[in-house]
């Protein structure tokens, strides 16, 4: 298990849901707290406003699921699959991801601050207009990903690979160009000034 930021332990769970078939389930309005989900199939599940607090998901399949205005607060995701999953306006504050897959994951809006995605392979994922303040993306592989309008302020981005990534509109003030891979990354003029300043250049009109 990857370590959470600041050494915070995973939340304890009180109940377990194992090997349940939640395929195409409507999660609208559901509320779960301190639940351990093991090998649950949430393929093509949908819902608005579902709330999961201090839950742990092990081997859960979120493939092709669609979640709107949902909350996964301080949750832990272990070896779970997010193939073609869509999260719109969702809240993942304080959640931790370990050994998960993210092919074609789409995140639009919402608050993913204080999350842990160290070493995550996000090369085929997209994040648009997402708040990811003080997130841990240490060593994450984001080459070729779409990460636009994302607030990375205060985030841990050491050895993150952003090569060929579309970063336009994102707050990249936390990026150290000496420790982050940025070859062929797409940035806007304002970001170019931010990076130039970080490199110690004197930018003048």
């Amino acid at each position: 298990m990857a370590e959470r930021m600041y050494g915070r332990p995973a939340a304890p769970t009180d109940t377990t849901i194992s090997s349940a078939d939640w395929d195409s389930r409507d999660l609208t309005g559901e509320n779960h707290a301190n639940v351990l989900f093991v090998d649950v199939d949430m393929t093509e599940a949908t819902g608005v406003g579902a709330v999961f607090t201090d839950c742990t998901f092990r081997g859960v399949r979120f493939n092709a699921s669609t979640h709107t205005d949902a909350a996964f607060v301080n949750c832990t995701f272990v070896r779970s699959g997010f193939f073609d999953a869509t999260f719109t306006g969702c809240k993942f504050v304080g959640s931790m991801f370990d050994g998960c897959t993210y092919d074609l994951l789409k995140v639009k809006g919402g608050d993913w601050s204080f999350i842990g995605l160290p070493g995550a392979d996000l090369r085929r994922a997209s994040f648009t207009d997402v708040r990811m303040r003080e997130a841990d993306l240490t060593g994450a592989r984001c080459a070729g990903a779409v990460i636009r309008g994302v607030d990375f302020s205060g985030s841990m981005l050491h050895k993150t690979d952003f090569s060929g990534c579309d970063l336009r509109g994102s707050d990249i003030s936390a990026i150290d160009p000496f420790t982050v891979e940025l070859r062929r990354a797409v940035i806007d003029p304002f970001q170019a000034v931010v990076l130039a300043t970080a490199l110690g250049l004197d930018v003048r009109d």
Side-chain angles (χ1 to χ4, degrees):
M1 168 69 71
E3 184 177 338
R4 286 171 174 260
M5 291 179 69
Y6 315 118
R8 294 180 296 108
T13 55
D14 302 323
T15 58
T16 300
I17 296 177
S18 180
S19 301
D21 183 4
W22 287 16
D23 189 320
S24 302
R25 181 183 177 116
D26 183 359
L27 300 170
T28 298
E30 292 197 15
N31 195 321
H32 302 272
N34 302 99
V35 179
L36 170 61
F37 295 88
V38 181
D39 297 327
V40 174
D41 185 1
M42 294 191 186
T43 300
E44 296 188 351
T46 60
V48 178
V51 177
F52 297 85
T53 307
D54 294 328
C55 293
T56 295
F57 301 83
R58 293 184 181 275
V60 174
R61 296 180 292 282
F62 291 92
N63 302 336
S65 60
T66 304
H67 309 265
T68 303
D69 298 330
F72 295 82
V73 179
N74 199 37
C75 291
T76 301
F77 300 86
V78 182
R79 297 186 302 278
S80 295
F82 293 90
F83 175 77
D84 201 24
T86 301
F87 295 91
T88 303
C90 295
K91 183 177 182 180
F92 275 78
V93 174
S95 289
M96 180 72 191
F97 298 79
D98 184 60
C100 299
T101 56
Y102 313 93
D103 283 355
L104 302 184
L105 167 68
K106 293 175 284 294
V107 180
K108 306 171 184 177
D111 192 348
W112 290 52
S113 298
F114 304 102
I115 64 163
L117 282 164
D121 185 351
L122 302 173
R123 290 175 294 179
R124 300 185 66 199
S126 67
F127 292 81
T128 308
D129 300 323
V130 185
R131 176 178 291 184
M132 297 181 75
R133 294 181 177 179
E134 297 191 48
D136 181 5
L137 278 82
T138 303
R141 292 169 286 168
C142 305
V146 175
I147 302 179
R148 300 195 60 174
V150 173
D151 182 357
F152 279 128
S153 56
S155 293
M156 299 171 62
L157 303 172
H158 184 69
K159 292 188 176 179
T160 305
D161 183 2
F162 287 120
S163 58
C165 182
D166 188 347
L167 291 167
R168 286 175 291 175
S170 294
D171 181 337
I172 59 172
S173 58
I175 286 181
D176 180 348
F178 294 103
T179 65
V180 172
E181 180 58 67
L182 290 168
R183 285 181 296 177
R184 301 183 310 280
V186 181
I187 60 175
D188 58 41
F190 176 77
Q191 292 170 318
V193 173
V194 172
L195 289 178
T197 303
L199 286 168
L201 301 178
D202 184 357
V203 181
R204 301 184 184 183
D205 189 354

